[in-house]
């Protein structure tokens, strides 16, 4: 309805007259994304000793992938400044939740009193005492 | 939003106005039931929520009765619902009563009456659009309320037999509500796990609690559709000349509310799904292992109960501002009109609403000061909470500034608005006590809290709504409401309200805990019984006063004196449309030339108002150089 | 009102269509929705020392997850190609690529289903996972999923008429007694006898194992001695304790056994997984809601495909918005994959 | 008419203030004798009164201003138009800065009390010295009662139950006059201890052990209730805190231990 009218008017000029295909660009982005995916799987196969480095790498790769998708496939690269107004608050809020939860749920100020904790401590103690870690059979 | 650059468009507004999108004959159903017209949807919301106000109020009177005459026979209500117990409320039933009272009031009255009813009715009219951006979505957002209401009915224990039978046959026993009305959801409107996560912990709630959660999800979907719609409409469909800082404060408040809703509500919806999964499917987000309830086997799990509180309040604190901001906006509009004076400090008003919204997202922890939260986190939340009083203070001072020097019209609208300001101050100031963590340690979960939130929710918001109903009624129906009845209603409600809720502060200081079916068997609370009885009397008075509102509303629709387009001599765009506006709203597409509050402007000559659509020639404008 | 020529007026707001703006705002709400899930997962995992990361334990299949990532990326690419083609007025191409996207969506769901099947098969389900050796032993004898359930199921299959377990058991005893004494048993009766005896044997094994688990006494201590042991003081400390390996070994033996083996249905003992239930809860909730979003996306594609040859430039807005939604679904997966499968 | 309405609003504010003024006399104020019976409780009361003063001034000020502007609006001359003003920049600045100073003061002023309650693990006594509380008991809430575990006389409290531990139900015994620490647990859903006269409140959360610090200044019984909705019986989790001198506390422990380990053959008195 009025949507279309507005749309035609708003987009008149750049999309409707003569559209230049972005096919090439999209194809490139596609390959980059595939490369990133392989990278994250590859990183896992490296069996890195330091888990944190692995995590950092993999999350960095995921973020780059997300950026590629957003910038090119979702056309954010070509949009006006409104994208910042919309996305910046969203991401700030989205980051708030896990960040605010870390001091309370991710870590614990008070002693945690659950069976898992005692189980975990027993396992760690067993590991320290030189027992072979409990072998888990794969069915 | 400096990025908004107007571009030239071949508008076809003219085609829409009055032509009804080419549909010439709409059937009754299309016109009044499944209508996509924002005004009809707004009124549907209004009627629904007013009925729900009665339901919520009746439940509240049940609560009050128990507090005045614990364990005694309860007239009418008791016969109807607790006949098997001799008309006497059981502790389960008491718990259910306040849980469902709060649920109905919050999810089915305050939120939908503000955003749903007034948001729908006013947004397109005040920004000069012919309808919402997505009319069908708008209709859906209303109709999603009904599954929510139906689920809440099940949560009240009112599941019909055929439904129970169906679920039994489907093997979904966890959805079968057993035990009738007294078996409603009874875990508080906050539904903290583990009480709400383990069925054995709250046996009377059973499936009702699950229905409660499902209902909240429906409300969430409904509000989410509404808020996306409002934001799009306000951003993109303003009439020519309606720049952001020419928008009425009502629109600003609706816009900010929509933002709050859009970004806070999904979190509650997500948390609701998690809790439903915990209850029904053996998930364990909120259930730690090794919990023994009622001598049942220990739970397996690994989750954390505090997680729910965080997720819940991440929504529900912003939600209290969702329940307030629209009323703030509407009151600003009404005050300006009734004082014949521009709003004092328009931009500070806008900025402080934005600040309230922004800060509102980072204070949720103040509901959890005693919950075993990390104390360092408590400190940050406390500072943020206290600072949120600042934008509220700015608003209060600006309202007073608006009245100052005005030519005040003491009609029902004005009285309700003044009550709004006055009572919001009381409610807000009691918030300062609670925001101070050490004091909250003592005050938390006492009637002081109950006093606080009734002052802000009822005292502020509902009085604002009463004013708004009276103010925009002419636009809804083309008739006026009765002034005398309106004033009587106001006085009775105002007195009844204060007598009911002000003493609650004292009860709280005296250490009376909330959510107690019978506080009086603690010796130190015994002497509070007479005060409670007085409060109950006042609550009943106030409850019956609402019939005046209802009568005035319904009768005026048919018999009120007819009025023209602009009975209040107000400035907003909505007053340039016919009363009631036809499909498509405006007969002439409005063009906006000034802000909405140019009352008593020197350039307007003899009149004391200047409509937003009224063009003032340059020469005349130069007379006054102020604005 | 008159139909004058539309006069040029100011368009307020953003230079994008309402539907696109609405879609972006909707995606904002979706971001918050998934943030609640993902944030929950991150903090719960941080707060749970001993979280299972071994893919052998959790039955996480990195390969299939990676493949699914590829499938979604490819489908995302096809959506943009479809949109691009439409703008270039190559309608047939556009339609085709939409179809490919739809098919890839199905492929994604298929792989997801396969992964879910593996989880169900190994009973990696919330609320089902033992977290300590004791719980694992309890589960091995439970009447819902363990040996008890197997005995019950066999008994029920044989004596469907009786409604109570005890009745079935005594019926079984009666049948055994009757057929045992019968000299001239037919072949059918002989197999019936064998079956009844097998169940009986299994039941005895079950009871013995159950009592061992309850008493926490090693299988080396014969069940027959239990009554005597119970009368002793401080009996617990004198006898060896039952271990999970023993139970496993026992079940293994039963599986091998000629008589009761066939009845066992290949039952195996679940290994304890610390925080396994929480892991499974998070896994299913996040991937489940993602899958629901995928299904919604498929409906949208179907909507476009239904237009068939009527597809035209005006539908570019529709495809663009559907594309935005689909890319968002892809984005969620881009984060779920490393978070759930790799880290 | 307008003047009457202005008075109506002013009048209701006056009643509210009067009610609060007289409330302590009518016993609608803090419970018991109105004083906090613990050191930190006294700090809470001080803070409460400080905020009360600030809030009262704000309340009276704003309500008076509201009454005044209404009165003026009612008495405006018939030929006069309303004041045409869009606001005042300097006023905005003033009423932003002044409240923010007041609010910031409140926010910072109370941090220390909060820290003593939850973070520092010590309470400042009347001489300004920080005193570490002594762990005396483990309090386990369940639907709908309190179970309390104490170490045997002369022994420290252990995290895990010991054979010689002493138990009581719905009666928390503590030594008076010095800070004690009680570990809070729950067997099932969330509960909260609330001891009004000591101004203590803390939730018990499943999966957590939460220490609570307080002292009782007098030798007497205090009421204790549950302040977190925990099911239908929430209102009846009635208990008491028995605060006694060290000697009496020890005596109670001995007696309770004797009763508890009484094997039925000897009278409790002999068991000693
Ligand atoms: C519309 C709803 C609404 C609004 C607007 C507010 C506003 C505020 N609320 Fe309230 N609140 C609720 C609804 C609301 N609240 C509800 C429903 C609950 C209970 C939920 C439950 O547990 O069931 C609750 C509970 C609640 C708590 C938790 C208490 C507890 O459970 O222990 C706290 C604690 O900090 C709090 C604080 C505040 C504060 C600081 C404000 C501030 O925004 C107020 C700011 C306003 C003013 C301060 C007045 C105006 C200012 C001046 C006149 C000038 C200057 C003032 C000074 C210098 C002091 N609220
Ligand atoms: C917008 C929100 C809102 C509103 C308007 C109200 C309105 C009222 N509330 Fe509300 N209340 C809450 C939100 C609200 N409440 C919340 C969130 C809680 C917390 C719950 C929890 O702890 O989980 C609560 C809790 C609560 C309690 C505490 C219960 C407890 O902790 O044990 C009490 C006790 O007095 C109470 C009383 C009242 C009364 C008397 C009214 C009156 O104002 C109602 C007046 C009546 C009407 C406006 C309608 C008129 C009705 C009729 C005309 C019908 C008459 C019918 C018959 C007589 C059969 N409420
Ligand atoms: Cu225990 Cu409330
Ligand atoms: Cu809050």
């Amino acid at each position: 309805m009025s949507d279309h009218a507005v749309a035609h008017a708003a987009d008149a000029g750049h999309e409707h007259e003569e559209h230049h295909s972005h096919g090439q660009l999209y194809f490139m982005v596609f390959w980059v994304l595939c490369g990133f995916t392989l990278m994250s799987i590859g990183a896992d196969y490296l069996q890195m000793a330091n888990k944190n480095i692995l995590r950092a790498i993999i999350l960095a790769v995921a973020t780059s992938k997300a950026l590629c998708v957003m910038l090119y496939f979702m056309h954010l690269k070509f949009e006006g400044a409104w994208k910042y107004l919309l996305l910046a608050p969203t991401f700030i809020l989205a980051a708030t939740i896990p960040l605010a939860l870390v001091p309370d749920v991710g870590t614990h100020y008070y002693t945690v009193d659950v069976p898992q904790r005692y189980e975990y401590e027993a396992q760690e103690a067993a590991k320290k005492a030189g027992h072979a870690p409990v072998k888990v059979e794969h069915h | 939003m400096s990025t908004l650059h107007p571009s030239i468009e071949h508008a076809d507004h003219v085609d829409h106005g009055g032509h009804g999108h080419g549909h010439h004959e709409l059937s009754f159903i299309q016109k009044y039931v499944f209508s996509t017209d924002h005004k009809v949807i707004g009124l549907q919301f209004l009627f629904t929520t007013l009925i729900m106000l009665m339901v919520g109020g009746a439940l509240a009177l049940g609560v009050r009765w128990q507090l005045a005459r614990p364990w005694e026979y309860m007239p009418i209500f008791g016969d109807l619902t607790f006949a098997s117990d001799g008309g006497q409320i059981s502790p389960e039933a008491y718990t259910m009563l306040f849980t469902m009272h709060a649920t109905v009031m919050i999810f089915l009255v305050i939120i939908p009456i503000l955003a749903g009813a007034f948001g729908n009715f006013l947004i397109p009219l005040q920004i000069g659009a012919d309808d919402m951006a997505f009319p069908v979505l708008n209709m859906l957002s209303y109709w999603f309320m009904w599954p929510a209401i139906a689920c809440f009915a099940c949560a009240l224990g009112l599941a019909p037999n055929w439904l129970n039978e169906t679920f039994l046959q489907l093997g979904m026993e966890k959805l079968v509500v057993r035990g009738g009305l007294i078996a409603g959801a009874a875990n508080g409107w906050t539904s903290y796990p583990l009480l709400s996560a383990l069925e054995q912990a709250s046996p009377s709630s059973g499936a009702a609690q699950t229905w409660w959660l499902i209902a909240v999800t429906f409300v969430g979907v409904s509000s989410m559709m509404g808020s996306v719609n409002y934001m799009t409409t306000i951003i993109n469909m303003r009439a020519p000349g309606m720049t952001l800082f020419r928008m009425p404060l009502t629109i600003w408040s609706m816009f900010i509310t929509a933002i709050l809703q859009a970004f806070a509500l999904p979190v509650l919806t997500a948390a609701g799904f998690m809790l439903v999964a915990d209850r029904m499917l053996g998930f364990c987000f909120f259930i730690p292992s090794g919990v023994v309830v009622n001598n049942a086997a220990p739970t397996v799990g690994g989750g954390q109960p505090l997680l729910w509180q965080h997720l819940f309040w991440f929504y529900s604190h912003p939600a209290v501002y969702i329940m307030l901001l629209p009323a703030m906006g509407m009151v600003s509009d009404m005050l300006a009109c009734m004082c014949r004076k521009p709003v004092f400090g328009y931009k500070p008003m806008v900025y402080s609403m934005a600040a309230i919204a922004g800060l509102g997202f980072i204070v949720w922890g103040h509901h959890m000061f005693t919950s075993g939260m990390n104390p360092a986190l408590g400190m940050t939340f406390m500072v943020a909470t206290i600072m949120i009083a600042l934008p509220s203070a700015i608003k209060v001072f600006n309202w007073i500034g608006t009245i100052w020097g005005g030519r005040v019209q003491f009609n029902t609208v004005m009285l309700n608005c003044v009550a709004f300001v006055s009572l919001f101050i009381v409610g807000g100031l009691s918030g300062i006590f609670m925001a101070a963590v050490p004091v909250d340690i003592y005050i938390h979960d006492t009637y002081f809290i109950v006093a606080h939130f009734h002052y802000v929710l009822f005292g502020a918001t509902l009085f604002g709504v009463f004013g708004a109903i009276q103010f925009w009624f002419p636009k809804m129906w083309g008739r006026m409401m009765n002034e005398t009845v309106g004033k009587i209603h106001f006085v009775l409600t105002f007195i009844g309200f204060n007598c009911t809720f002000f003493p609650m502060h004292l009860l709280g200081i005296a250490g009376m805990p909330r959510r107690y079916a019978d506080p009086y068997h603690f010796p130190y609370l015994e002497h509070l019984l007479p005060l409670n009885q007085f409060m109950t009397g006042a609550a009943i008075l106030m409850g019956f006063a609402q019939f005046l509102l209802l009568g005035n509303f319904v009768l005026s629709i048919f018999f009120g004196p007819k009025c023209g387009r602009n009975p209040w001599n107000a400035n907003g765009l909505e007053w340039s449309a016919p009363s009631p506006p036809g499909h498509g709203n405006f007969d002439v597409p409005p063009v906006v030339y000034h802000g909405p509050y140019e009352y008593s402007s020197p350039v307007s000559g003899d009149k004391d108002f200047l409509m937003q659509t009224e063009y003032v020639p340059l020469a005349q404008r130069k007379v006054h150089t102020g604005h | 009102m008159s139909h004058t020529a539309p006069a040029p007026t100011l368009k307020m707001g953003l230079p994008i269509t309402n539907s696109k703006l609405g879609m972006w705002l909707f995606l904002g709400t979706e971001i918050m929705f998934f943030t609640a899930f993902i944030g929950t997962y991150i903090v719960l995992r941080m707060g749970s020392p001993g979280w299972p990361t071994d893919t052998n334990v959790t039955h996480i299949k990195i390969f299939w997850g990676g493949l699914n990532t590829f499938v979604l990326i490819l489908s995302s690419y096809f959506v943009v190609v479809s949109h691009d083609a439409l703008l270039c007025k190559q309608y047939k191409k556009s339609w085709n690529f939409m179809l490919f996207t739809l098919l890839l969506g199905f492929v994604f769901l298929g792989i997801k289903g396969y992964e879910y099947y593996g989880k169900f098969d190994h009973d990696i389900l919330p609320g089902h996972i033992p977290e300590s050796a004791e719980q694992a032993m309890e589960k091995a004898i439970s009447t819902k999923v363990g040996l008890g359930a197997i005995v019950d199921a066999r008994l029920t299959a044989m004596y469907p008429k009786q409604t109570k377990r005890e009745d079935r058991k005594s019926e079984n005893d009666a049948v055994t007694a009757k057929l045992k004494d019968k000299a001239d048993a037919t072949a059918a009766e002989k197999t019936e006898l064998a079956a009844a005896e097998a169940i009986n044997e299994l039941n005895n094994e079950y009871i013995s194992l159950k009592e061992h688990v309850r008493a926490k006494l090693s299988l080396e201590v014969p069940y027959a001695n239990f009554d005597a042991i119970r009368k002793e003081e401080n009996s617990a400390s004198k006898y060896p304790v039952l271990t999970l390996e023993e139970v496993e070994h026992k079940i293994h033996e039963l599986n091998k056994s000629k008589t009761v083996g066939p009845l066992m249905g290949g039952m195996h003992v679940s290994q304890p997984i610390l925080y396994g239930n929480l892991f499974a809860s998070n896994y299913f909730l996040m991937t489940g809601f993602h899958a629901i979003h995928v299904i919604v996306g498929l409906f949208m594609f179907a909507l476009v495909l239904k237009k068939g040859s009527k597809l035209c430039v005006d539908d570019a807005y529709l495809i663009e918005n559907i594309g935005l939604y689909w890319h968002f679904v892809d984005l969620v997966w881009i984060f779920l994959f490393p978070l759930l499968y790799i880290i | 008419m307008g003047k009457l309405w202005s008075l109506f609003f002013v009048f209701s504010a006056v009643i509210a203030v009067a009610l609060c003024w007289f409330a302590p006399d009518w016993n609608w104020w803090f419970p018991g004798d109105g004083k906090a019976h613990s050191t930190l409780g006294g700090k809470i009361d001080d803070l409460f009164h400080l905020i009360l003063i600030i809030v009262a001034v704000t309340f009276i000020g704003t309500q008076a201003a509201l009454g005044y502007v209404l009165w003026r609006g009612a008495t405006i001359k018939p030929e006069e138009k309303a004041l045409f003003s869009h606001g005042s920049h300097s006023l905005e600045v003033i009423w932003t800065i002044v409240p923010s100073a007041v609010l910031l003061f409140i926010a910072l002023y109370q941090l220390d009390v909060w820290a003593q309650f939850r973070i520092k693990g010590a309470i400042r006594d009347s001489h300004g010295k920080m005193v570490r509380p002594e762990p005396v008991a483990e309090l386990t809430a369940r639907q709908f009662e309190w179970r309390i575990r104490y170490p045997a006389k002369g022994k420290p409290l252990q995290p895990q139950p010991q054979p010689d531990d002493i138990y009581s139900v719905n009666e928390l015994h503590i030594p008076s006059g010095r800070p004690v620490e009680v570990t809070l647990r729950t067997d099932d859903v969330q509960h909260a201890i609330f001891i009004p006269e000591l101004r203590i409140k803390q939730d018990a959360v499943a999966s957590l052990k939460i220490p609570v610090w307080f002292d009782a200044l007098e030798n007497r019984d205090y009421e204790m209730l549950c302040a977190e909705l925990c099911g239908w019986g929430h209102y009846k989790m009635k208990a008491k805190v028995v605060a006694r001198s060290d000697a009496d506390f020890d005596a109670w422990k001995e007696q309770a231990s004797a009763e508890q380990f009484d094997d039925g053959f000897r009278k409790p008195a002999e068991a000693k």
Side-chain angles (χ1 to χ4, degrees), chain B residues 53-58 60-61 63-64 67 76-77 94 98-99 101-103 105-106 109-110 187-190 323 447 450 453-454 457-458 462 466 497 500-501 504 513-517 535 539-540 542-547, chain D residues 229:
Chain B
L53 178 64
M54 298 282 149
V55 176
L61 294 186
V63 170
R64 286 292 349 152
L67 289 170
I76 314 172
F77 210 57
Y94 177 83
F98 72 69
T99 301
H101 156 65
T103 308
M105 285 298 194
I106 286 180
V109 178
I110 294 294
N187 303 315
W189 82 281
T190 49
M323 298 182 246
Y447 266 74
V450 182
F453 63 69
H454 282 98
L457 283 171
F458 192 137
L462 219 46
F466 291 155
F497 171 82
T500 311
F501 293 109
M504 283 190 186
R514 63 192 277 211
R515 296 171 167 177
Y516 263 33
M535 291 156 60
I540 294 174
M542 171 175 50
F544 280 101
Q546 304 317 308
F547 286 114
Chain D
L229 181 64

Side-chain angles (χ1 to χ4, degrees), chain B residues 71 89-97 182-186 203-205 517, chain D residues 231-233 235:
Chain B
W71 318 127
I89 302 186
S90 63
E92 288 97 331
Y94 177 83
T95 321
M96 180 278 279
L97 280 177
I182 52 161
S204 75
S205 296
Chain D
W232 66 269
Y235 71 98

Side-chain angles (χ1 to χ4, degrees), chain B residues 417-447:
Chain B
C417 290
V418 176
F420 171 98
V421 176
S422 167
L423 300 179
F424 172 68
I425 294 174
V426 180
L429 291 178
S430 62
I432 300 297
F433 288 90
M434 294 137 46
V437 242
V439 179
D440 188 61
I441 290 175
Y442 177 63
I443 290 292
H444 173 70
D445 267 344
T446 64
Y447 266 74

Side-chain angles (χ1 to χ4, degrees), chain C residues 21-69:
Chain C
L21 179 59
M23 177 53 82
W24 267 108
L25 290 168
F26 168 71
L27 292 185
T29 69
E30 286 278 60
I31 291 176
M32 293 308 289
F33 184 72
F34 275 101
T35 303
F37 289 148
I38 295 176
T40 297
Y41 165 69
I42 293 175
V43 291
L44 279 179
R45 179 167 167 174
M46 275 179 74
S48 309
W51 187 274
T53 48
D54 187 342
T55 47
N56 291 333
V57 174
T58 54
H59 293 279
I60 281 280
K61 303 250 171 14
I62 295 188
F63 171 73
W64 291 108
L67 189 64
N68 251 351
T69 314

